[in-house]
Amino acid sequence: MIERLIALALLWLPAAAGALTIGVLHRADDARLEPRRLALGYLGQPGGTPEAGLRVAVDEAKFQLDAAGIAPKIEVVAVEGAEQARQAAERMARQGAVALVADLPAPWLLAAARAPVTVFNSGDAADALRQQDCRGNLVHTLPSERMRSDALAQWLLARRWSRVLLLRGPTEEDAARAAGVKAALARFRLALVAERPFKLSADPRERALANPLLLTGGVEHDAVWVVDSDGEFARSLPYRTALPRPVVGDGGLAALAWAPNFERFGAPQLARRFQRAHGRPMTAHDWAAWAAGKAVVQAALATGPKTGAPALAAALAAPGFELDGFKGTALSLRPWDRQLRQPMLLTDGLAVVGIAPLEGVLHPRNTLDTLGADAPEKLCPAR
């Protein structure tokens, strides 16, 4: 009789929870997170490490995870280079991490992707990571530069601002991003009337390279598109151009994954949850980390409490896998470059004035594929 009572009692005990370990990799001493830079509030800049968005996603799913017998664990590692990123990623994979969420420079990210685990890129928008440098286990929740450029090009087309003056910064990153802008202009048949370099310099001989009146004068145009990876020049460009023209790109109107003042599709509730948890507004990088966390949780719930890295990767690659990103439509992963399909929010930092893809933009399969590299381009050799 006693043995029977013990057996019945054991049936009512909760099963041992399966561990769901998610790693976080971010750069140590990140210059983008210096207090002065954060205070200036550059459009598109991160506000913190990926841990913040990831924890919000995990906390949202606490009830479902508890019911499924899954115990989430987040391990955060700050790295100082590509080799450290590789070592940390491989160590966490050996210790059972099912996925990693990373905000790292491209070379560090590619080093981390050598580990046998899904790596979510929540911090680097470089097109090369989705194209010639793509990896089969590298998933991108942050939109690519081409997605951002295509969204702004659609906006210019809808407003019939067809003549674009492009101002480009001095870095290699600026040059690569400007190439994406020109591809977007060609895709939507907008005219590039001129491309002019700018440079912020203390050298008096280079003063003209930072003068908005000189840089924007002498050519007819409908809009100024500024590519400024640093952000200091772009943020001061609106209202200082030679002609009264709108500014888009890294100043004026930007295309971002998220804006904390977005007011549709349940977005205010997500923004408030993040604000309460971390005491600051949710940025595009935070949203990308949150989306990565939500993807991991959803895949884990689909595969069960003993989820491992291979099973989670298979669940993510399933054709029907979709996410609700609080943007009004289901989000999914593109099989040709592992980029998360998603609408882009067009914002000046104060309000969201539009959502791309814009109404009237067509695609034979999914209008979200009008943002970024499409399947026929076959730019990722790993797929």
Side-chain angles (χ1 to χ4, degrees):
M1 183 65 178
I2 295 177
E3 290 80 0
R4 184 178 179 185
L5 291 174
I6 293 174
L8 289 172
L10 289 174
L11 290 175
W12 288 97
L13 289 176
L20 182 73
T21 302
I22 308 170
V24 174
L25 293 174
H26 67 90
R27 65 190 88 177
D29 300 322
D30 192 341
R32 303 170 304 167
L33 304 181
E34 293 177 352
R36 179 182 177 277
R37 188 169 187 85
L38 291 177
L40 290 173
Y42 293 103
L43 282 173
Q45 294 295 308
T49 68
E51 181 185 3
L54 177 59
R55 287 200 180 278
V56 171
V58 171
D59 289 345
E60 287 175 347
K62 185 178 186 306
F63 179 80
Q64 297 97 312
L65 291 171
D66 288 346
I70 299 174
K73 175 186 175 183
I74 297 175
E75 181 180 352
V76 182
V77 179
V79 297
E80 298 181 350
E83 182 59 20
Q84 283 192 15
R86 181 190 65 79
Q87 292 176 359
E90 291 180 348
R91 177 185 60 78
M92 286 191 283
R94 286 195 304 269
Q95 294 176 351
V98 298
L100 307 179
V101 181
D103 181 356
L104 299 173
W108 305 13
L109 187 66
L110 293 174
R114 292 170 61 182
V117 65
T118 299
V119 180
F120 287 87
N121 168 28
S122 69
D124 197 315
D127 291 308
L129 289 170
R130 287 88 170 160
Q131 299 174 8
Q132 66 267 26
D133 294 332
C134 65
R135 300 291 188 271
N137 65 327
L138 191 55
V139 175
H140 310 278
T141 50
L142 189 74
S144 68
E145 290 293 347
R146 280 197 62 180
M147 292 172 69
R148 295 180 63 185
S149 296
D150 284 340
L152 287 172
Q154 289 184 18
W155 177 259
L156 295 177
L157 179 65
R159 308 300 295 177
R160 299 185 179 179
W161 296 334
S162 59
R163 299 172 299 174
V164 178
L165 169 62
L166 177 61
L167 303 184
R168 172 178 51 82
T171 68
E172 292 183 4
E173 183 179 358
D174 291 327
R177 296 178 60 217
V181 172
K182 287 183 276 190
L185 296 179
R187 184 178 193 177
F188 294 99
R189 299 183 181 180
L190 302 173
L192 177 63
V193 298
E195 179 180 356
R196 294 174 176 175
F198 68 83
K199 182 180 180 181
L200 291 178
S201 172
D203 190 337
R205 294 169 296 180
E206 296 179 322
R207 189 175 300 163
L209 292 176
N211 188 316
L213 292 177
L214 295 177
L215 287 168
T216 60
V219 61
E220 288 294 327
H221 55 279
D222 300 316
V224 179
W225 195 317
V226 57
V227 177
D228 181 12
S229 300
D230 177 71
E232 185 173 351
F233 174 81
R235 71 190 302 269
S236 63
L237 184 61
Y239 309 109
R240 298 179 65 201
T241 54
L243 298 174
R245 299 292 185 267
V247 174
V248 303
D250 291 322
L253 187 69
L256 301 177
W258 187 257
N261 43 26
F262 187 39
E263 297 180 348
R264 300 176 62 188
F265 309 124
Q269 287 77 14
L270 174 58
R272 284 196 292 269
R273 286 196 295 271
F274 187 92
Q275 179 77 43
R276 284 196 302 267
H278 300 289
R280 61 176 178 82
M282 189 178 198
T283 68
H285 288 72
D286 294 321
W287 182 91
W290 170 85
K294 186 162 186 175
V296 172
V297 167
Q298 188 165 311
L301 290 172
T303 55
K306 301 300 183 181
T307 299
L312 185 127
L316 292 172
F321 186 82
E322 292 183 336
L323 294 176
D324 178 7
F326 294 89
K327 294 188 183 183
T329 188
L331 314 183
S332 58
L333 291 174
R334 292 177 178 144
W336 57 88
D337 61 3
R338 306 289 278 166
Q339 170 67 56
L340 184 67
R341 294 182 177 99
Q342 58 187 279
M344 300 296 297
L345 307 184
L346 303 171
T347 177
D348 61 354
L350 298 175
V352 174
V353 302
I355 306 174
L358 273 72
E359 186 176 353
V361 176
L362 303 177
H363 189 275
R365 291 174 298 278
N366 190 329
T367 55
L368 291 176
D369 290 337
T370 62
L371 303 174
D374 204 352
E377 298 180 57
K378 297 181 180 179
L379 298 174
C380 174
R383 308 308 296 172

